[in-house]
Amino acid sequence: MFKKLHQLSKIKKIILVWFMLMLCIGGGLFLRFYQNYFRSNIANTIIKPEFIYIPTGSKYNDVLRILDKNKLLVNRTTFMWLAKELNYREHIKPGKYKILPNMSNWELINLLKKGVQTPVKLVIGKYRLNHQFRTYVAKHLECDSSQLQVAFDSLVTKLNIDTSSHYKDLTGYVIQNTYEFWWNTSAEKFWIKIFDEYKKFWNAERKRKAKLQNLTPYEVIVMASIIDEETAMEDEKPIIAQIYLNRYHKGVLLQADPTVKFALHDFAIRRVLFTHLKTDSPYNTYVTKGLPPGPICIPSVKSIDAILNPAENKFMFFCAKEDFSGYHNYAETFEEHQLNAKKYQKAFIDRFVLHKYDTSKSKIEIDSLVVKKNN
């Protein structure tokens, strides 16, 4: 009896040892499984979200190089092992991806394999030159500046964006707004979205109001770009809009200083002088009647709506107020405008000029010459 109990005890010990051995092996396998799958594999130097960009056409080795370049992984081998297990190597998706601190291999590979991108927000504001706008977009999206221009040239006619206009300046078809794109959006898809916004903006009511002014949507944007550069005061935009409409409909020169700066591509000019007005350019509204061939900036929606909803008046001139508030004095006649201009010039001299003022290049005389030319 004692011998049987001893043998049973021995068997139990063997079973216990075997169980403990299996437990250790299982624990080791589980630990390895946990480390490979669920334990953070992001370097502890990453303390805030980082972004990686996987270009279109990338292969698995390209992804590894991107991860290495950004020094993201603690253990490259475990990432590669799980990438193979989850068949990620055959499912590379381009895009912009947000990498979070403490992200596991499982989380990282699923993010990349499913293509869960972080969208790019493009805040499109007042860009003056085409290449400046294209450069801004290319800085935030995968497509480059030249691709954007080629896609625009192809689509603006193909999609029948504005058949009433013979102009093809790309800033004339961009509405200021905040847009969301995937980083790997193609140049063509970029413009399709921009044009969709343009068509949505130019609803039946806005088109009707443009027609009342005898302007196409594109021409409204061109005139609005001048308003946008003339004043930052939203409440006076409709007044100045009507002044330019008055000049435009009477067939006289628009005499817009911002168009001279644009013609010179010198936006640092603080005071337009007589010599500047002689600039030979279709954008210079001191020498060319009518509207410039394209916008001098991407105007705000408020500036566009100011052209469509102008404050009715008979003014033909406006001049900066002598209190330097940013607002303007308005006049119906050139004589009234002279008085307003003299008030501003006196205030300007008293406040800023410490030497003899050169009246030979004053705005009064410039306007006088322009008025004579208009008549």
Side-chain angles (χ1 to χ4, degrees), residues 102-117:
N102 301 317
M103 190 173 265
S104 67
N105 283 329
W106 176 269
E107 292 169 323
L108 177 56
I109 291 170
N110 271 284
L111 178 82
L112 300 177
K113 184 180 178 181
K114 293 177 181 178
V116 185
Q117 291 192 55

Side-chain angles (χ1 to χ4, degrees), residues 166-225:
H166 62 278
Y167 301 125
K168 294 292 181 288
D169 191 317
L170 63 85
T171 52
Y173 301 93
V174 181
I175 304 299
Q176 282 195 23
N177 208 339
T178 298
Y179 298 79
E180 275 197 359
F181 293 94
W182 299 124
W183 174 76
N184 57 314
T185 298
S186 68
E188 184 174 282
K189 287 184 178 178
F190 168 82
W191 280 114
I192 288 173
K193 187 166 185 174
I194 293 295
F195 291 152
D196 282 345
E197 180 71 14
Y198 178 89
K199 289 178 178 179
K200 191 194 312 178
F201 177 84
W202 283 106
N203 54 33
E205 180 62 9
R206 282 195 172 103
K207 285 182 178 179
R208 183 187 70 81
K209 289 180 177 180
K211 194 172 183 180
L212 287 176
Q213 299 297 346
N214 198 27
L215 297 171
T216 67
Y218 184 92
E219 289 167 337
V220 170
I221 287 179
V222 173
M223 189 174 283
S225 71

Side-chain angles (χ1 to χ4, degrees), residues 260 263-264 274-284 286-288:
V260 180
L264 293 167
F274 184 73
T275 53
H276 296 143
L277 301 188
K278 297 178 181 179
T279 304
D280 183 17
S281 168
Y283 283 91
N284 181 2
Y286 277 91
V287 296
T288 305

Side-chain angles (χ1 to χ4, degrees), residues 179-360:
Y179 298 79
E180 275 197 359
F181 293 94
W182 299 124
W183 174 76
N184 57 314
T185 298
S186 68
E188 184 174 282
K189 287 184 178 178
F190 168 82
W191 280 114
I192 288 173
K193 187 166 185 174
I194 293 295
F195 291 152
D196 282 345
E197 180 71 14
Y198 178 89
K199 289 178 178 179
K200 191 194 312 178
F201 177 84
W202 283 106
N203 54 33
E205 180 62 9
R206 282 195 172 103
K207 285 182 178 179
R208 183 187 70 81
K209 289 180 177 180
K211 194 172 183 180
L212 287 176
Q213 299 297 346
N214 198 27
L215 297 171
T216 67
Y218 184 92
E219 289 167 337
V220 170
I221 287 179
V222 173
M223 189 174 283
S225 71
I226 297 174
I227 305 303
D228 216 66
E229 290 283 78
E230 282 285 15
T231 181
M233 304 303 177
E234 302 294 351
D235 55 339
E236 76 166 0
K237 284 182 176 181
I239 302 171
I240 294 179
Q242 184 63 67
I243 293 173
Y244 277 113
L245 286 167
N246 292 341
R247 294 179 184 179
Y248 180 76
H249 291 312
K250 288 187 177 182
V252 299
L253 293 170
L254 295 184
Q255 306 172 5
D257 288 3
T259 64
V260 180
K261 296 179 182 180
F262 186 89
L264 293 167
H265 281 190
D266 186 351
F267 305 106
I269 295 174
R270 298 195 63 179
R271 187 165 178 78
V272 175
L273 303 177
F274 184 73
T275 53
H276 296 143
L277 301 188
K278 297 178 181 179
T279 304
D280 183 17
S281 168
Y283 283 91
N284 181 2
T285 56
Y286 277 91
V287 296
T288 305
K289 275 191 177 182
L291 292 167
I296 59 173
C297 71
I298 298 174
S300 68
V301 170
K302 288 189 176 180
S303 292
I304 297 172
D305 283 340
I307 301 296
L308 300 175
N309 304 280
E312 188 176 347
N313 64 68
K314 295 181 180 179
F315 300 133
M316 291 293 289
F317 303 93
F318 62 97
C319 174
K321 275 195 169 184
E322 64 277 9
D323 61 1
F324 304 103
S325 63
Y327 284 94
H328 295 80
N329 288 316
Y330 315 107
E332 291 185 26
T333 68
F334 181 66
E335 289 70 30
E336 292 174 318
H337 176 59
Q338 280 183 308
L339 295 175
N340 290 334
K342 281 181 179 177
K343 284 191 290 185
Y344 174 77
Q345 288 166 4
K346 183 179 183 305
F348 184 86
I349 294 168
D350 292 344
R351 186 166 179 175
F352 299 110
V353 182
L354 301 178
H355 53 79
K356 186 178 179 181
Y357 185 62
D358 184 2
T359 55
S360 65

Side-chain angles (χ1 to χ4, degrees), residues 140-183:
H140 293 86
L141 300 182
E142 184 180 23
C143 51
D144 63 31
S145 179
S146 61
Q147 290 172 335
L148 287 165
Q149 184 64 58
V150 170
F152 172 82
D153 293 337
S154 169
L155 289 171
V156 72
T157 302
K158 182 180 175 183
L159 298 180
N160 230 3
I161 302 305
D162 187 355
T163 54
S164 62
S165 174
H166 62 278
Y167 301 125
K168 294 292 181 288
D169 191 317
L170 63 85
T171 52
Y173 301 93
V174 181
I175 304 299
Q176 282 195 23
N177 208 339
T178 298
Y179 298 79
E180 275 197 359
F181 293 94
W182 299 124
W183 174 76

